[in-house]
Structures are given as C-alpha cells and as structure tokens.
Amino acid sequence: MHEMRKRWGEILGCAPLARVADWHSIVGPRAELTPLAYPLFATADVRAVREGADRVLRDARSRGLIVTVARGLHVAVPLDAGPEWRPRVVEVAWLIAVARHGRHPAPPAAPPYLCGITAASLHRAANAARGIVHVTVPRQTRSLELPALRASVVFHQRFERCLGSPWWYSQVPDREDAGPELEDLPGQLCRPLMTSRNQTALDLLHSPARMDVWGETRPIVRRLLLGGDYRAFLAVAKNQRRHSAAERRSYERPWPDAWFTA
C-alpha cells in the first residue's frame, strides 16, 4: 500500500504544514471555539464571537492576516506569506466541504474528498478542467463559485452502501476497510483527502459523465493504473459500488491476463 495512505482519523488530525495566523489573533482572545475547518472560516463565525464583524475582517485583511476567497468566506494567511499569496484552490475546496459536512461524518458516510478528474490531475494522469475542482460529500450540496481564485467547486453526493455478487466476496482479496480508498495530499493549509490511483480509475469508469470525460476516460485510466497491481485494483472495488467498473477495466486486458494474473 502506498506510503502516503493512512487511516482517515490520522489524516484528518494532521496540522497544516505552514503556520497560519491564529484564530484569536483575528477575532480576539475571548473567542472560545475555533471554526471546524480553520484556517477557512465564514463571516458568520466572526459574528458569533465579536460585534462589528465587518470592521474586524477589514482590520485583519489590512494586516495581511486573511484573504477573502468568496462572499462570506475567508482563509487565514501563512505567517511567512507574501502580499500576493493566494491559497491552492484544491485545499480551499476541501476545507469548504469539511466546514459543511464535518471531518468525521456518521458512518457509513466517508469524509469529504477530492475526486474524479481533479484527483486524476493530482496523480498527474490527466489535465483537469481549468478552474473547476470536484469534491465528493455525503449529502447533496450546491456548486460554489470562488471569484478570488477564479474557480468553482462542484460537489458530488456519495453515500456508501456495500453491494456485490458472491463471486466478488469469494474471489477478490479482502480489504481492511470498506468504502473508497483515500490518500492524503500534503498542502500548505491542510492535508486534503483524495481518491487513490485505483479508486480514481474505478470512479471514472463507473460514471465518466459526471466528470464530462467521455472521450478521455480510458487513456486516463490507463495512466492511473500503469505498472499497478491488478489484484489490488480489484480489491479496492470490493465492498463498494464499483464492481462493474472494475470488470470494464478487465475487458481492456488481453485474455487470459485479465483473470489469471496480478
């Protein structure tokens, strides 16, 4: 298993790689609770602990402590950042999903994660659509524009269910965990979760229309799985709704390799 891959609890507990302005330095020492997705926070979070939230935000912006990425959404700035610093859109997109759905949704829901063509581009297997980030969340969520980053976030709903034929449960290697296989992506503000190479391939094969990659799906999948362990790929599909997608990949392999070799 890839060295980057960790348990969700360990990933979600990681601190940012860069030191950012402390929440109390923005809103004052009497603020008790730090927002769930900090260093991303909303104007409403400031209003909950301080009067004159607009003035507080203007002051923090003038001191270079925050940048506003969308109406009512702000990000704390790393302490060593320059005046033109802007956050990576994939990190902001993931933090927005965390703010809306939590870091630990109730099982069997998975935590928010970067998915589809966005994950494929992060694995360097595809060119993502410019200015669009795809994030999977447990419940239906409207897309969001981020004018300051010239980008938009598209949310995809996925609620886990274990489905599959008896053949899969008897022939495919066991996995330690059910649901999507996720990795962490080291970032400056946070460590977003994203699908592994195998999971990204499965998701694209399962529903290419969701990412608008009809003509590019198979080349992207080939690049994602190049040099990988085929039985590990099958194992990722186990206990989730990706069995047919895994079998579609089999059709691309010369018989009998698809069934008798790893």
Side-chain angles (χ1 to χ4, degrees):
M1 189 172 289
H2 197 285
E3 293 180 359
M4 282 179 59
R5 198 168 301 133
K6 302 179 178 68
R7 290 186 178 276
W8 290 344
E10 296 172 350
I11 296 168
L12 293 171
C14 288
L17 298 187
R19 291 181 60 235
V20 299
D22 183 78
W23 173 240
H24 296 91
S25 68
I26 296 172
V27 298
R30 289 182 291 180
E32 295 182 2
L33 297 177
T34 301
L36 176 64
Y38 195 80
L40 178 133
F41 64 96
T43 301
D45 296 320
V46 181
R47 287 180 178 148
V49 296
R50 283 288 303 273
E51 294 182 358
D54 292 340
R55 174 180 52 79
V56 171
L57 291 169
R58 281 197 304 271
D59 177 65
R61 202 176 294 113
S62 66
R63 290 189 291 152
L65 298 180
I66 67 171
V67 295
T68 299
V69 295
R71 184 175 181 180
L73 280 178
H74 319 277
V75 173
V77 175
L79 298 180
D80 58 352
E84 302 302 319
W85 179 86
R86 290 295 180 272
R88 286 178 73 188
V89 66
V90 291
E91 295 182 50
V92 173
W94 185 76
L95 287 171
I96 291 170
V98 167
R100 296 187 175 189
H101 300 279
R103 293 177 182 266
H104 305 282
Y113 56 88
L114 303 168
C115 65
I117 194 67
T118 298
S121 68
L122 293 169
H123 287 299
R124 300 184 179 181
N127 294 320
R130 189 175 182 87
I132 301 176
V133 179
H134 296 271
V135 185
T136 293
V137 291
R139 297 183 301 279
Q140 186 172 358
T141 305
R142 286 185 178 181
S143 299
L144 179 67
E145 296 294 327
L146 302 175
L149 303 181
R150 298 180 181 178
S152 60
V153 185
V154 178
F155 297 101
H156 302 272
Q157 181 185 12
R158 177 173 174 178
F159 193 79
E160 294 308 316
R161 290 183 300 174
C162 293
L163 298 173
S165 68
W167 183 89
W168 275 85
Y169 291 101
S170 62
Q171 301 296 324
V172 177
D174 286 331
R175 282 185 61 205
E176 186 176 341
D177 300 310
E181 184 178 60
L182 305 177
E183 301 177 352
D184 67 325
L185 173 70
Q188 194 173 23
L189 297 175
C190 59
R191 302 180 75 97
L193 289 176
M194 67 177 182
T195 49
S196 68
R197 298 183 78 91
N198 284 334
Q199 185 69 52
T200 304
L202 283 167
D203 291 348
L204 291 174
L205 286 167
H206 174 75
S207 184
R210 297 180 74 183
M211 302 290 154
D212 194 25
V213 291
W214 277 108
E216 305 173 50
T217 300
R218 294 193 182 281
I220 292 172
V221 167
R222 290 192 193 101
R223 288 192 288 269
L224 284 166
L225 301 181
L226 185 64
D229 184 338
Y230 185 63
R231 286 180 62 81
F233 170 74
L234 291 178
V236 173
K238 193 170 185 177
N239 295 332
Q240 58 175 305
R241 295 170 291 172
R242 297 294 182 266
H243 302 158
S244 295
E247 290 166 0
R248 287 186 202 117
R249 171 59 178 159
S250 300
Y251 302 149
E252 292 193 343
R253 295 167 61 87
W255 192 88
D257 291 351
W259 303 105
F260 300 109
T261 64

